[in-house]
Amino acid sequence: MPKDTFFHLPLEKRHLIEEVAVEEFAENSLHTASVNAIVNNSGIAKGSFYQYFENMEDLYKHVLKIIKDRKLDLISSLPLPANNLDTFRYLQRLLQIDLAFELKYPRLAQVERRHNFENPVTSSIDPETGQRLSGDGRFHAFLSQGVFHDDIATWVDTDLAAYVLGVVSRWLSPYLLERLEQDSGKAVEADLDVSSDPHLQDLLQNLMDLLMAGMAREPQIRKDFYSK
Amino acid sequence: MPKDTFFHLPLEKRHLIEEVAVEEFAENSLHTASVNAIVNNSGIAKGSFYQYFENMEDLYKHVLKIIKDRKLDLISSLPLPANNLDTFRYLQRLLQIDLAFELKYPRLAQVERRHNFENPVTSSIDPETGQRLSGDGRFHAFLSQGVFHDDIATWVDTDLAAYVLGVVSRWLSPYLLERLEQDSGKAVEADLDVSSDPHLQDLLQNLMDLLMAGMAREPQIRKDFYSK
DNA sequence: ATATAATATGACCAGTCGGTCATAAAGAGG
DNA sequence: CCTCTTTATGACCGACTGGTCATATTATAT
């Protein structure tokens, strides 16, 4: 955690340092990021850096926390979904959240991608159930719910599916945004409404169809013929 | 391209340097890889490095070429598929190739992933047709063939699908291998036959089912009801 | 005004970086 | 043996690295 001094800083100065750090971590990993670069780009003295942070890792963890906070803020700012969200509307919402985050904080999203690349987590074991738990758990939760509600076929290997969904959601956003720009011929505005833009909805729906028809039980899916 | 001197080297020495370079590029990008590290780890003098290569980028490109060559070798070494390969067996083969490569050359695969991360290509425009062409073109070819043979639904956005397949194939291999290790409780041997191991086939088939039922026209897929 | 605490600063350190180069060693042809 | 070419070497260079620290400045409290 950054030292107290850092949090006593005028907000403007603090935010400047944070912005510069984000930019640095977007282009460099924790181990290759440069203290000197951050110091120079934010106009503070080298000594000040070490008055604010223990070391680079301290600042890095702080940036990761910013990412977490911003994402939570963003989720709560999105229009509240209906109480009984359809299984696949729920998945669509998960993808939309990542998309909105990419749109609003592209550099933070890049830092997150880099972090994920340097610290890959293909899986971890749930200490309670002993089951595999790939990724951040969002998609495991989605799949469990889906299977429970008979919306997802029972033959689906949920850990494999959760991993695949995680990978797709992580890399989908930059593709969709670049695609939007190329298709429309103009830059995408940062305040684009991800849940209403028609072209974006088309693309997202196309992906949803692709995923759904594979996992949805209705209409007939081959494997379910045998398993039930 | 490396200088002549490099190719005059005894094979053993040349391969040692290449191995050390691969290891360096597996852990560092082109811009953060260290000449000194490579020199020390391979036991050659600093000056020799610059007798063999123009600079680090020269060596980097050479390693990329090794990756390309090894992959081609591996493809031609795999049992030849039947002439008229079923559309989805063809996709399965594409995934198996990536898997075999990860299994046989895990460090080369890591270098490739890092390269792809540092030089992301979400899409490029085909100069001939003017169409979008995401990824390396393998999956575009697959999808075009599939649509042509009526095996893939016409409503599928092929560029989006090709991108998703590319992302999945790139990140699937390390997951599957780790999964195999955890499920079986023992390390996976490097000479595992990716096209015959039963557990591996189960997992791959599960993913194929997931993808197929979404893209295969048979049995009924919703969107095709309307489009045809 | 004075004393004390909090903050800011950049010269400085030892270590590493990519890259060069004069020199030495080794090979090849006669 | 001598000659000429190719290859090997590591000391050396200037630039940059993360980190320290004595000193200076500012804010706070009395």
Side-chain angles (χ1 to χ4, degrees), chain B residues 56-103:
Chain B
M56 188 66 98
E57 189 179 353
D58 194 17
L59 172 55
Y60 187 69
K61 286 181 180 171
H62 178 64
V63 168
L64 291 187
K65 178 161 169 31
I66 290 178
I67 293 175
K68 205 173 159 186
D69 292 346
R70 287 271 198 292
K71 196 166 269 189
L72 286 179
D73 288 351
L74 188 143
I75 290 175
S76 64
S77 83
L78 284 186
L80 206 67
N83 267 354
N84 298 332
L85 208 53
D86 174 64
T87 291
F88 286 101
R89 289 219 168 280
Y90 180 59
L91 174 58
Q92 190 166 356
R93 188 176 152 83
L94 287 180
L95 297 180
Q96 276 174 345
I97 288 172
D98 279 351
L99 198 55
F101 189 72
E102 176 82 34
L103 195 61

